[in-house]
Structure formats: structure tokens, C-alpha cells
């Protein structure tokens, strides 16, 4: 604002100087007065310029101070920009790392989904096997029931066979006893036959001897 005021005063002084020149041509006296007036105006203008110069110099000093402050602010801003860029770079790196982690997790999830599908297929196969095993168990259970019924029949027959076996064993024991009795008798008779055979032989020899003596007479 002070600088603008100084420029307005300068313009008025120049106009007055031009008017003074014009008037000097009309009258020497008026010209002298105008010269004096111009001197006074020049002094006034000098004072005004000096005043304006001080104002400008003050403004320059203020601008210098403001500039220094702004430069300090600029330095701080540049430092903050650098820090911000470093932070952005750091965040960018972290973003890449996190994105890589996300990709790794997605890949693992894909692999796990594939494993789940394989396990589901395996489970379905196992369930199918279980159904077949249930059918086998039912078939085996039926066979077991049939065997148990057959076992009852054979168990009942075993009782009958035991009775028959006991009877046969009794008969065998009886026959064995009878056989032993007959063998004992056989042994006795064999002894008698042997004894009487010897006796017959002895008697025959005696008979033969007597017959020989009779023929000699």
C-alpha cells in the first residue's frame, strides 16, 4: 500500500512540471513563481520519494524477512516432502509385500481347495465302499444266521450221534469182554489140544511098539 501511494505522488509532480513549463512561456514572472513552486514541489517530491524509499526499503526488509520465513517453511515443506516420499516408498514396499502375501495365501487357498476336492472325492469313494461293506455285512449276517441254524441241526444230531456212539462203545466193550473170554477159552483149549496131541503121539508110539513085539512072536 505504501508503495502504491509513492507512485501516485510522482505522477502528480510530473503533471505539475508540465503545466509549469507551459505557463513559463506566457509570463516570466509567473514562470519564476512556477520555478519556485517547482523547486518546492521537487523538494516535496524528494521528501516523498525519500519517505517512499524508506517505505520500500522497509517493505524489502519485511519481504526479506517474510522470504526467509517462507524459505524456512519451504525447507520444512521440502523435508516433509522428502519424509513423505520416503513414507510413500516404504508404504509402497509394504504394499508389495502385503500383495505378495495375499498372492501366496491365494495360491495356498487354491492348493487347499484342490486338496479339499481330492479329499471329497476320497470321502465319496470311502462312503461308497462303506455301502458295499454294509451290503457284505448283511450278506455275511445272513450266512451266519444260516450257519447258526445249521449248527443247531448239527448240534441236535451230535446228541443223537453221541447216543449212538455210546451204544457202539458199549457194544464194543461187551464184544471185547466176550472176545477176551473166548480167547481165554481158546488158550485153554489150545493147551488141552497140545497136551492131548502129545498124549495121542505117546499112545501111538506105545501101540506101535506093542504091535512090533507081537509080530516078532
Amino acid at each position: 500500500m505504501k508503495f502504491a501511494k509513492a507512485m501516485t505522488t510522482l505522477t502528480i509532480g510530473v503533471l505539475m512540471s508540465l503545466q509549469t513549463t507551459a505557463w513559463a512561456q506566457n509570463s516570466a514572472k509567473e514562470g519564476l513563481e512556477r520555478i519556485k513552486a517547482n523547486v518546492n514541489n521537487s523538494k516535496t517530491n524528494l521528501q516523498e520519494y525519500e519517505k517512499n524509499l524508506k517505505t520500500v526499503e522497509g517493505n524489502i526488509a519485511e519481504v526479506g524477512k517474510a522470504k526467509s520465513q517462507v524459505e524456512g517453511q519451504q525447507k520444512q515443506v521440502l523435508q516433509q516432502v522428502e519424509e513423505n516420499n520416503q513414507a510413500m516408498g516404504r508404504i509402497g514396499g509394504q504394499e508389495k509385500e502385503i500383495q505378495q502375501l495375499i498372492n501366496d495365501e491365494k495360491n495356498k487357498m487354491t492348493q487347499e481347495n484342490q486338496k479339499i476336492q481330492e479329499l471329497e472325492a476320497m470321502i465319496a469313494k470311502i462312503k461308497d465302499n462303506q455301502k458295499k461293506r454294509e451290503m457284505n455285512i448283511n450278506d455275511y449276517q445272513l450266512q451266519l444266521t444260516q450257519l447258526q441254524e445249521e449248527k443247531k441241526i448239527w448240534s441236535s444230531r451230535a446228541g443223537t450221534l453221541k447216543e449212538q456212539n455210546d451204544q457202539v462203545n458199549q457194544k464194543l466193550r461187551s464184544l471185547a469182554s466176550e472176545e477176551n473170554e473166548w480167547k481165554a477159552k481158546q488158550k485153554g483149549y489150545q493147551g488141552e489140544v497140545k497136551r492131548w496131541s502129545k498124549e495121542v503121539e505117546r499112545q501111538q508110539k506105545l501101540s506101535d511098539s506093542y504091535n512090533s513085539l507081537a509080530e516078532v512072536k
Side-chain angles (χ1 to χ4, degrees):
M1 295 296 292
K2 292 179 180 180
F3 182 75
K5 181 178 179 181
M7 290 299 294
T8 300
T9 303
L10 176 61
T11 301
I12 293 172
V14 171
L15 291 175
M16 290 178 67
S17 177
L18 293 172
Q19 291 175 356
T20 301
T21 304
W23 293 339
Q25 294 175 356
N26 296 325
S27 174
K29 184 178 179 179
E30 290 178 356
L32 181 60
E33 291 178 356
R34 294 298 179 188
I35 291 172
K36 290 180 180 180
N38 287 337
V39 170
N40 291 330
N41 289 333
S42 296
K43 290 180 179 179
T44 301
N45 287 336
L46 176 60
Q47 293 175 355
E48 188 66 25
Y49 274 119
E50 289 176 347
K51 181 180 179 181
N52 289 339
L53 178 59
K54 290 180 180 180
T55 301
V56 170
E57 289 176 348
N59 289 338
I60 291 173
E62 293 296 327
V63 169
K65 292 180 181 180
K67 182 180 178 182
S68 297
Q69 292 179 354
V70 171
E71 288 176 348
Q73 293 175 355
Q74 183 185 36
K75 185 177 181 180
Q76 293 177 355
V77 170
L78 291 176
Q79 183 177 358
Q80 292 176 357
V81 168
E82 180 65 22
E83 293 175 354
N84 190 73
N85 290 335
Q86 291 177 358
M88 291 293 292
R90 183 178 67 255
I91 291 173
Q94 292 176 347
E95 285 179 342
K96 291 181 180 179
E97 292 178 358
I98 293 174
Q99 187 62 48
Q100 184 62 43
L101 292 173
I102 291 173
N103 293 335
D104 292 342
E105 292 299 325
K106 286 182 178 179
N107 292 333
K108 290 178 181 178
M109 187 178 293
T110 301
Q111 295 175 358
E112 290 171 350
N113 287 332
Q114 184 177 358
K115 290 182 179 179
I116 289 172
Q117 293 177 356
E118 293 175 355
L119 290 173
E120 287 177 347
M122 186 179 296
I123 290 172
K125 184 176 181 180
I126 292 173
K127 286 183 177 179
D128 185 59
N129 289 338
Q130 286 182 335
K131 290 180 181 179
K132 292 179 181 178
R133 294 187 188 285
E134 288 178 357
M135 295 175 62
N136 291 337
I137 290 172
N138 292 332
D139 184 51
Y140 293 147
Q141 190 66 45
L142 179 61
Q143 294 181 26
L144 182 62
T145 301
Q146 293 174 349
L147 288 174
Q148 289 174 345
E149 293 297 326
E150 186 176 354
K151 182 180 178 181
K152 290 179 181 179
I153 295 172
W154 285 104
S155 178
S156 176
R157 186 180 179 187
T160 301
L161 292 174
K162 185 176 183 303
E163 291 178 359
Q164 293 177 357
N165 186 55
D166 291 341
Q167 293 175 359
V168 170
N169 288 333
Q170 183 63 33
K171 288 181 180 180
L172 288 174
R173 286 193 294 271
S174 177
L175 290 172
S177 177
E178 184 177 356
E179 183 183 22
N180 290 332
E181 291 179 359
W182 285 111
K183 284 183 178 181
K185 290 180 180 182
Q186 180 187 29
K187 187 176 180 180
Y189 285 128
Q190 287 176 346
E192 290 296 323
V193 168
K194 184 178 181 180
R195 184 170 68 82
W196 285 107
S197 294
K198 290 181 179 180
E199 185 63 25
V200 168
E201 184 180 356
R202 188 176 67 82
Q203 293 297 328
Q204 185 64 46
K205 286 181 179 180
L206 288 174
S207 175
D208 292 340
S209 297
Y210 283 122
N211 287 332
S212 296
L213 288 175
E215 290 177 359
V216 171
K217 291 180 177 181

Short mmCIF file of all heavy atoms in Angstrom, two decimals, residues 129-148:
data_model
loop_
_atom_site.label_atom_id
_atom_site.label_comp_id
_atom_site.label_asym_id
_atom_site.label_seq_id
_atom_site.Cartn_x
_atom_site.Cartn_y
_atom_site.Cartn_z
N ASN A 129 -17.55 -97.37 -0.58
CA ASN A 129 -17.02 -98.62 -0.04
C ASN A 129 -17.78 -99.04 1.21
O ASN A 129 -18.03 -100.24 1.43
CB ASN A 129 -15.53 -98.46 0.29
CG ASN A 129 -14.68 -98.35 -0.96
OD1 ASN A 129 -15.08 -98.78 -2.04
ND2 ASN A 129 -13.51 -97.75 -0.84
N GLN A 130 -18.17 -98.06 2.03
CA GLN A 130 -18.92 -98.39 3.24
C GLN A 130 -20.28 -99.00 2.91
O GLN A 130 -20.73 -99.92 3.58
CB GLN A 130 -19.10 -97.12 4.09
CG GLN A 130 -17.82 -96.70 4.81
CD GLN A 130 -18.03 -95.48 5.68
OE1 GLN A 130 -18.93 -94.69 5.45
NE2 GLN A 130 -17.20 -95.33 6.70
N LYS A 131 -20.91 -98.45 1.84
CA LYS A 131 -22.18 -99.03 1.42
C LYS A 131 -22.00 -100.48 0.98
O LYS A 131 -22.80 -101.36 1.32
CB LYS A 131 -22.77 -98.20 0.28
CG LYS A 131 -23.26 -96.83 0.70
CD LYS A 131 -23.84 -96.07 -0.49
CE LYS A 131 -24.32 -94.67 -0.06
NZ LYS A 131 -24.85 -93.91 -1.21
N LYS A 132 -20.91 -100.72 0.22
CA LYS A 132 -20.62 -102.08 -0.21
C LYS A 132 -20.34 -102.97 1.00
O LYS A 132 -20.77 -104.13 1.03
CB LYS A 132 -19.42 -102.08 -1.15
CG LYS A 132 -19.69 -101.40 -2.49
CD LYS A 132 -18.46 -101.41 -3.38
CE LYS A 132 -18.73 -100.72 -4.71
NZ LYS A 132 -17.52 -100.69 -5.58
N ARG A 133 -19.62 -102.41 1.99
CA ARG A 133 -19.31 -103.20 3.18
C ARG A 133 -20.58 -103.50 3.97
O ARG A 133 -20.73 -104.59 4.54
CB ARG A 133 -18.30 -102.46 4.05
CG ARG A 133 -16.94 -102.31 3.38
CD ARG A 133 -15.90 -101.73 4.31
NE ARG A 133 -14.67 -101.43 3.59
CZ ARG A 133 -13.78 -102.33 3.18
NH1 ARG A 133 -14.01 -103.63 3.41
NH2 ARG A 133 -12.69 -101.98 2.54
N GLU A 134 -21.52 -102.53 4.00
CA GLU A 134 -22.79 -102.79 4.67
C GLU A 134 -23.54 -103.92 3.98
O GLU A 134 -24.13 -104.79 4.64
CB GLU A 134 -23.63 -101.52 4.67
CG GLU A 134 -23.12 -100.44 5.63
CD GLU A 134 -23.95 -99.17 5.57
OE1 GLU A 134 -24.88 -99.12 4.73
OE2 GLU A 134 -23.68 -98.24 6.35
N MET A 135 -23.50 -103.90 2.64
CA MET A 135 -24.13 -105.00 1.88
C MET A 135 -23.43 -106.32 2.19
O MET A 135 -24.10 -107.36 2.37
CB MET A 135 -24.06 -104.69 0.39
CG MET A 135 -24.88 -103.47 -0.02
SD MET A 135 -24.68 -103.04 -1.78
CE MET A 135 -25.32 -104.51 -2.56
N ASN A 136 -22.09 -106.28 2.26
CA ASN A 136 -21.33 -107.50 2.58
C ASN A 136 -21.68 -107.99 3.99
O ASN A 136 -21.84 -109.19 4.22
CB ASN A 136 -19.83 -107.24 2.47
CG ASN A 136 -19.39 -107.02 1.04
OD1 ASN A 136 -20.05 -107.46 0.11
ND2 ASN A 136 -18.27 -106.33 0.86
N ILE A 137 -21.77 -107.01 4.93
CA ILE A 137 -22.10 -107.39 6.31
C ILE A 137 -23.48 -108.04 6.36
O ILE A 137 -23.69 -109.06 7.05
CB ILE A 137 -22.05 -106.15 7.22
CG1 ILE A 137 -20.59 -105.71 7.40
CG2 ILE A 137 -22.67 -106.43 8.58
CD1 ILE A 137 -20.43 -104.38 8.12
N ASN A 138 -24.44 -107.45 5.64
CA ASN A 138 -25.79 -108.04 5.62
C ASN A 138 -25.75 -109.45 5.03
O ASN A 138 -26.42 -110.36 5.54
CB ASN A 138 -26.73 -107.15 4.80
CG ASN A 138 -26.99 -105.82 5.48
OD1 ASN A 138 -26.94 -105.73 6.71
ND2 ASN A 138 -27.30 -104.80 4.69
N ASP A 139 -24.95 -109.61 3.95
CA ASP A 139 -24.83 -110.93 3.34
C ASP A 139 -24.17 -111.91 4.30
O ASP A 139 -24.63 -113.05 4.47
CB ASP A 139 -24.03 -110.81 2.04
CG ASP A 139 -23.95 -112.14 1.30
OD1 ASP A 139 -25.01 -112.76 1.08
OD2 ASP A 139 -22.83 -112.55 0.95
N TYR A 140 -23.08 -111.45 4.96
CA TYR A 140 -22.41 -112.30 5.93
C TYR A 140 -23.32 -112.62 7.12
O TYR A 140 -23.29 -113.74 7.66
CB TYR A 140 -21.13 -111.63 6.43
CG TYR A 140 -20.05 -111.49 5.37
CD1 TYR A 140 -19.19 -110.40 5.37
CD2 TYR A 140 -19.92 -112.44 4.36
CE1 TYR A 140 -18.21 -110.26 4.39
CE2 TYR A 140 -18.95 -112.32 3.39
CZ TYR A 140 -18.09 -111.23 3.40
OH TYR A 140 -17.13 -111.10 2.43
N GLN A 141 -24.13 -111.61 7.51
CA GLN A 141 -25.04 -111.84 8.61
C GLN A 141 -26.07 -112.91 8.25
O GLN A 141 -26.41 -113.77 9.09
CB GLN A 141 -25.77 -110.52 8.97
CG GLN A 141 -26.55 -110.57 10.26
CD GLN A 141 -25.66 -110.74 11.47
OE1 GLN A 141 -24.64 -110.08 11.58
NE2 GLN A 141 -26.04 -111.63 12.37
N LEU A 142 -26.55 -112.85 7.01
CA LEU A 142 -27.47 -113.88 6.54
C LEU A 142 -26.81 -115.25 6.53
O LEU A 142 -27.40 -116.24 6.99
CB LEU A 142 -27.98 -113.52 5.13
CG LEU A 142 -28.94 -114.51 4.49
CD1 LEU A 142 -30.21 -114.64 5.32
CD2 LEU A 142 -29.29 -114.07 3.07
N GLN A 143 -25.58 -115.31 6.03
CA GLN A 143 -24.84 -116.58 6.04
C GLN A 143 -24.63 -117.08 7.46
O GLN A 143 -24.73 -118.28 7.74
CB GLN A 143 -23.48 -116.39 5.34
CG GLN A 143 -23.58 -116.08 3.85
CD GLN A 143 -22.22 -115.94 3.20
OE1 GLN A 143 -21.24 -116.50 3.66
NE2 GLN A 143 -22.16 -115.17 2.11
N LEU A 144 -24.30 -116.12 8.37
CA LEU A 144 -24.10 -116.50 9.77
C LEU A 144 -25.38 -117.07 10.37
O LEU A 144 -25.34 -118.07 11.11
CB LEU A 144 -23.63 -115.28 10.56
CG LEU A 144 -23.33 -115.51 12.05
CD1 LEU A 144 -22.20 -116.52 12.22
CD2 LEU A 144 -22.97 -114.18 12.72
N THR A 145 -26.53 -116.43 10.05
CA THR A 145 -27.81 -116.93 10.56
C THR A 145 -28.07 -118.34 10.03
O THR A 145 -28.51 -119.23 10.78
CB THR A 145 -28.94 -115.98 10.12
OG1 THR A 145 -28.69 -114.67 10.65
CG2 THR A 145 -30.28 -116.47 10.65
N GLN A 146 -27.80 -118.52 8.73
CA GLN A 146 -27.98 -119.85 8.14
C GLN A 146 -27.06 -120.87 8.81
O GLN A 146 -27.48 -122.00 9.10
CB GLN A 146 -27.72 -119.80 6.64
CG GLN A 146 -28.76 -118.98 5.86
CD GLN A 146 -28.40 -118.82 4.41
OE1 GLN A 146 -27.29 -119.15 4.00
NE2 GLN A 146 -29.34 -118.31 3.61
N LEU A 147 -25.81 -120.46 9.05
CA LEU A 147 -24.86 -121.36 9.71
C LEU A 147 -25.31 -121.68 11.12
O LEU A 147 -25.15 -122.83 11.59
CB LEU A 147 -23.47 -120.73 9.72
CG LEU A 147 -22.73 -120.68 8.38
CD1 LEU A 147 -21.43 -119.90 8.50
CD2 LEU A 147 -22.44 -122.10 7.88
N GLN A 148 -25.84 -120.68 11.82
CA GLN A 148 -26.31 -120.92 13.18
C GLN A 148 -27.49 -121.89 13.19
O GLN A 148 -27.56 -122.75 14.08
CB GLN A 148 -26.71 -119.59 13.84
CG GLN A 148 -25.51 -118.70 14.16
CD GLN A 148 -25.90 -117.34 14.68
OE1 GLN A 148 -27.06 -116.94 14.56
NE2 GLN A 148 -24.95 -116.61 15.25
#
